[in-house]
Amino acid sequence: MPSANQKIILTGFMGVGKSTIARFLSFMLKCEKVDLDLIIEENERRTIAEIIQTEGEARFRRIETENLSRVLVGNNVQIIALGGGAWITEENRRLIKQHDFTTVWLESSFEHCWRNISCSKRVRPLAKNKTEARRLFYERQKFYCLADWHFIIKPDLTSFEIAKKIADEVF
Ligand code: S3P
């Protein structure tokens, strides 16, 4: 069980498995989790792809920060899965620290993330092709490195096994 004040944020590149791992973690630890992308889509009543495609990435980032700051003050939330770009925004990192969340970077190879991105039905406007996604992946490493914990995702582990290891090591 997580300690009463242990609050975790999962970050990492698109396709690394943040949402699935957060779901398993909340199930194992019997604590409340929030998926930031889902909250944004519920509040906006449209998909993130629609927001980015119609209003651009800058507008999406503002919406993302507004939703994150609301989610961070939620009393019972102990696990938050971010969208892959949320941790890159400096203001979001500041807000997260201010609210005493510990950030775990789910680190994986680009090829592993790309396999998941290309198999997924989810539309990711910022990873439309492999070249663009690879560029973003390497550009972001220096920001993901700023997370409190690094957790290396080995491709032979299932999401359940990964969640179990995080639960054992981090909580
Ligand atoms: C993004 C990642 C997406 C989503 C949006 C932008 C990014 O979330 O927030 O499409 O900039 O990396 P996932 O990491 O869950 O795919």
Side-chain angles (χ1 to χ4, degrees):
M1 289 289 286
S3 60
N5 50 12
Q6 179 76 288
K7 301 187 292 185
I8 294 289
I9 293 258
L10 297 183
T11 185
F13 199 67
M14 290 174 263
V16 77
K18 301 177 290 292
S19 302
T20 314
I21 294 167
R23 209 164 46 239
F24 283 130
L25 266 177
S26 84
F27 170 76
M28 280 171 197
L29 301 166
K30 297 182 178 44
C31 63
E32 204 172 308
K33 70 116 174 84
V34 160
D35 190 310
L36 185 60
D37 282 352
L38 293 183
I39 291 286
I40 294 172
E41 293 188 340
E42 265 171 41
N43 288 342
E44 289 288 310
R45 296 204 181 92
R46 52 192 171 149
T47 64
I48 286 172
E50 281 164 349
I51 303 171
I52 296 178
Q53 277 152 1
T54 57
E55 297 188 50
E57 187 185 345
R59 172 76 186 130
F60 166 65
R61 294 300 171 201
R62 283 196 296 278
I63 294 172
E64 189 176 49
T65 300
E66 281 161 22
N67 279 274
L68 175 66
S69 50
R70 277 200 294 271
V71 161
L72 287 170
V73 295
N75 281 336
N76 298 319
V77 175
Q78 279 190 276
I79 298 172
I80 302 175
L82 298 181
W87 179 250
I88 310 308
T89 305
E90 193 180 356
E91 183 177 359
N92 295 347
R93 295 199 299 274
R94 191 183 55 74
L95 286 168
I96 288 167
K97 286 202 187 306
Q98 212 173 60
H99 288 87
D100 293 327
F101 275 79
T102 301
T103 307
V104 181
W105 171 26
L106 302 179
E107 182 183 3
S108 170
S109 70
F110 172 71
E111 289 301 329
H112 175 76
C113 294
W114 180 252
R115 255 194 312 279
N116 291 338
I117 292 170
S118 44
C119 292
S120 155
K121 283 193 273 234
R122 196 173 166 79
V123 181
R124 290 176 163 104
L126 303 182
K128 275 194 282 218
N129 62 66
K130 194 172 180 181
T131 310
E132 182 59 13
R134 190 192 285 111
R135 187 190 59 73
L136 209 55
F137 178 90
Y138 287 106
E139 197 179 280
R140 287 179 173 178
Q141 298 298 297
K142 59 179 181 291
F143 298 105
Y144 292 136
C145 273
L146 301 172
D148 303 304
W149 284 69
H150 293 184
F151 193 90
I152 297 173
I153 307 280
K154 302 212 184 81
D156 54 327
L157 291 180
T158 64
S159 298
F160 186 84
E161 289 164 336
I162 295 164
K164 181 80 182 65
K165 276 178 175 286
I166 295 174
D168 291 344
E169 288 178 29
V170 180
F171 284 96

